[in-house]
Structures are given as C-alpha cells and as structure tokens.
Amino acid sequence: MDKAREKVFRRKDSVTNINSDCQNISSGGGMGREKGSARPRSRSVYTTNSFVSDDVVSSRDLAKYEGSHHWTCPLPKPITLTKDEIWGDEGYIGGTTVTPHGVISLRLHNRIRVDISLDRAIRIVNMKSGIILALNSSGSTSALIHPNGRVYQYGSRVEILAIESQGNNKYAKMWYKGVSFTSDQCALVYLVDSAGTRTTTDTFSDLSSDFTLGVFYNTFPPGDSPYNLDMPGIPHGTHLVDEAVSILQAANFWVTEDGTDNWILNSVRISQTSDGLVRVGRNSNKFSLRTSPTNGSASVSSPYMHCTGSLGLTRHLFVRRGERRMHYDGATFIVRNAGHSAGFDEKQQLKVY
C-alpha cells in the first residue's frame, strides 16, 4: 500500500499542456517572464532600434511615397502674374492669377472666380448669376451681394438691403437693440424688440457700391470707394507675389468619385462639383461660403451670421443672427425678434404679426 501511495498518476492532457507551456516560455512567448527581465518591445511602434530592418519597406508604403513625391497640383491653367487687380471679367477664361497684392485668383468653370489673400480672406464672384460673397481675414466681417438683396455683417451688427422689383427697396439692421427696418416709401423707422414693435430713429448704410472689396481687403467701410488700392493700408510688392507662388506650389488637389474637384490652398478648402456648385470653407468649415450658377443660390455661414439667397423656385433672401431673423420672398418682408414679428406685406403696408 505504501508503494502505491508513492506513485503519482498524471493525465495525458496535463502533460501535453505543461510541455507546450514550457516550449512557449523557452521561446519567449509565454507568461514565464521573470520580474527582473526586460519587457519585450512592441513591434507595432517603430523606433530606431526596432526589430524590423530599416531596409524593409512594404510596396504599399513605397507607392504612397512615390505618389506624393512625383505628384504636382493641377491648378487651373494658365498660371499668370498680373500688374493690376482683377476688377472686370470681360472675356472670361479659366486659369490662375497672382496679383501684386499677393491675391490668388482661381477662375473655375461655369464663370466662377475664387480670390484668396495671403491672410486667408475670401471673395467669390459668380458672374453667371451676379452674386458676390466675401469674408475678411479674421472672419469678423462678411458680405453678400445677390440679385434679391445685399447683406453686410460687421461684428455684432448686420445690415440688409432687400431689392424690390418696383423700386420700393426694404432696409433692416440687426443690432443690440433689436431689429430696425423701413422702406423707400415709408417715412418711419420701426424697431422690433422684446417689448414688441414701435417707431424709432435709425440710419442705414449705403450698400449700393461693391462693398465686398472693402470686406476682402479689410480697409473700406460701406460707401467709400473700394477701387483705390494704392493707400498705405494695403501692402503690395514682389515679396507678396513670391509668397503667393510658394502657396500655389504647396497646394493639394484631388477628385472624388462623383467628379468633384477639391483644392486645399493656404489652409482654405475649395470644391466645385460638375454642375458648377462651389463651396469654400475655412477653420474646419467654421466659416463657409457657397454659390451655384444653376439656380443662383448663395450662402454665407459664420459664428456671427447665417444668410442665404436663391433665384430658383424658392426665390428668397434670408438672414439669421441669434434669435433675430429676416425673410424676404420678393413680395413680403418680415423681421422677427424675441417672439415678435413685423414687416411689409404685398401691398407695401406695415403689418404686425
């Protein structure tokens, strides 16, 4: 009986598992690492002392490197330098132009031009629909010129001109007091605030000129001449041209599956679809501008304001800043603020809603 007790019987599967574990430990792949031994380095992280040789490069990495090394950005051709700023667009042709002030102008198809300054101000001209959009370098000022009206936003204020076919244009201003509005044929100015609608005294800026140039160059208030670019506030010179050319050389371009062209130029993203729709975004689309030549639509979006305009079936001009609104459809003109609404109806009469 004593001899029988001294015998130890092990299951065959236990012996197999132990042997396999020992093999794993001896090969360094098991859990038998001593506390004093060094931890093996992860092979998923590359270091200068990696287990993978520096000479080993996968075909996928090699293709990416060669593609980025030999690829050049196909900007709209031809690329030219001009001695003057581009004001008119007679005889429009495609291409890329650099002005003496360092402004890069991309002339895209469907007669749309995108201007970008060295400090990332943006101006878009939709010549087919008569639309101009602008955003200054800091994003604090923006503008929209549209056949339905004009919008000028500067800081916390927004001024609006709604164009009426019979000549009775409407005017509105969004500011800290509320929303002021009037019309050419109205002798009074009305204010919609938290108390309702009442008369007030107010003035409105002259938006008849192309004030988008003043927004783009960040120098001219509305009403001043935007064509005098020789003033000291606007720098120019060959060094600005050289900087613009270097930006063009560093531009990125790709085409999506639906045929949309995309550029990244001076940290500004530009895209144009096959039907001509142009979108321009900055600061991860915190600031965005859009226009289309097919239906005459346009929009400007920023933390300060959102406005849209269209010549399509839903012809309109719309502006929103916070809880303040303005909507114009060519017949009725309505402003809203603090739960109150007022405006002019189809008969050009004041109406409080």
Side-chain angles (χ1 to χ4, degrees):
M1 296 294 294
D2 296 337
K3 292 182 179 181
R5 290 179 180 177
E6 292 177 358
K7 292 183 180 180
V8 178
F9 297 93
R10 293 188 176 92
R11 294 173 55 184
K12 292 184 178 181
D13 57 349
S14 300
V15 177
T16 305
N17 292 336
I18 292 174
N19 292 335
S20 62
D21 291 342
C22 292
Q23 292 176 359
N24 291 336
I25 293 173
S26 62
S27 62
M31 300 297 294
R33 181 176 55 86
E34 297 180 0
K35 293 184 178 180
S37 62
R39 180 183 295 273
R41 285 171 290 186
S42 173
R43 299 193 181 192
S44 62
V45 180
Y46 179 83
T47 63
T48 55
N49 297 321
S50 174
F51 293 103
V52 181
S53 173
D54 294 347
D55 298 331
V56 178
V57 181
S58 65
S59 59
R60 181 181 61 181
D61 295 336
L62 184 61
K64 286 184 178 180
Y65 174 77
E66 289 182 348
S68 61
H69 181 71
H70 297 288
W71 178 79
T72 57
C73 177
L75 291 166
K77 302 294 191 302
I79 299 176
T80 58
L81 304 179
T82 179
K83 296 181 180 179
D84 302 312
E85 294 295 317
I86 303 174
W87 304 123
D89 294 286
E90 297 80 6
Y92 180 89
I93 58 174
T96 303
T97 302
V98 178
T99 71
H101 297 89
V103 176
I104 300 172
S105 294
L106 303 181
R107 297 188 296 277
L108 309 178
H109 62 80
N110 281 274
R111 297 178 61 82
I112 294 182
R113 195 183 81 212
V114 179
D115 299 337
I116 300 176
S117 67
L118 296 178
D119 53 4
R120 299 194 302 160
I122 303 169
R123 185 171 180 262
I124 305 175
V125 182
N126 182 348
M127 284 155 277
K128 187 175 180 180
S129 304
I131 297 172
I132 306 177
L133 307 92
L135 178 72
N136 73 339
S137 57
S138 65
S140 62
T141 306
S142 59
L144 167 66
I145 292 180
H146 192 275
N148 293 341
R150 302 187 170 200
V151 181
Y152 174 58
Q153 173 267 319
Y154 51 103
S156 61
R157 298 194 178 193
V158 182
E159 299 210 37
I160 305 163
L161 164 64
I163 299 176
E164 206 265 335
S165 58
Q166 302 299 324
N168 186 23
N169 295 334
K170 314 299 190 300
Y171 305 88
K173 179 194 291 186
M174 299 178 180
W175 54 320
Y176 71 94
K177 287 187 177 181
V179 182
S180 305
F181 70 96
T182 187
S183 69
D184 284 336
Q185 299 178 3
C186 183
L188 300 176
V189 178
Y190 299 94
L191 174 67
V192 179
D193 57 10
S194 58
T197 303
R198 56 188 174 88
T199 59
T200 186
T201 57
D202 201 356
T203 59
F204 302 87
S205 299
D206 180 12
L207 302 181
S208 59
S209 64
D210 186 1
F211 56 94
T212 62
L213 289 169
V215 173
F216 181 73
Y217 288 102
N218 204 26
T219 52
F220 303 101
D224 290 352
S225 173
Y227 298 101
N228 181 19
L229 296 181
D230 295 329
M231 62 184 302
I234 301 180
H236 61 279
T238 56
H239 64 288
L240 299 179
V241 175
D242 294 339
E243 186 176 351
V245 171
S246 65
I247 290 175
L248 290 177
Q249 294 173 346
N252 294 323
F253 172 81
W254 70 96
V255 181
T256 57
E257 295 180 356
D258 59 355
T260 300
D261 296 329
N262 297 270
W263 295 268
I264 294 182
L265 193 66
N266 199 17
S267 300
V268 176
R269 178 168 178 172
I270 307 167
S271 68
Q272 185 177 34
T273 61
S274 57
D275 62 353
L277 172 64
V278 171
R279 298 184 182 93
V280 180
R282 202 180 75 188
N283 297 73
S284 301
N285 289 328
K286 183 179 181 181
F287 303 92
S288 64
L289 298 88
R290 186 189 67 174
T291 184
S292 173
T294 56
N295 58 4
S297 64
S299 67
V300 177
S301 296
S302 74
Y304 300 91
M305 177 198 66
H306 173 75
C307 68
T308 62
S310 177
L311 296 175
L313 298 177
T314 57
R315 178 186 179 96
H316 74 279
L317 179 68
F318 172 77
V319 181
R320 180 184 75 237
R321 171 172 168 77
E323 63 178 353
R324 297 167 175 82
R325 306 282 196 277
M326 190 287 304
H327 184 270
Y328 175 65
D329 61 2
T332 59
F333 177 87
I334 303 174
V335 299
R336 297 180 176 88
N337 180 38
H340 303 280
S341 301
F344 298 105
D345 59 13
E346 299 86 347
K347 299 180 180 180
Q348 312 299 329
Q349 299 296 318
L350 174 68
K351 187 172 183 179
V352 179
Y353 298 89

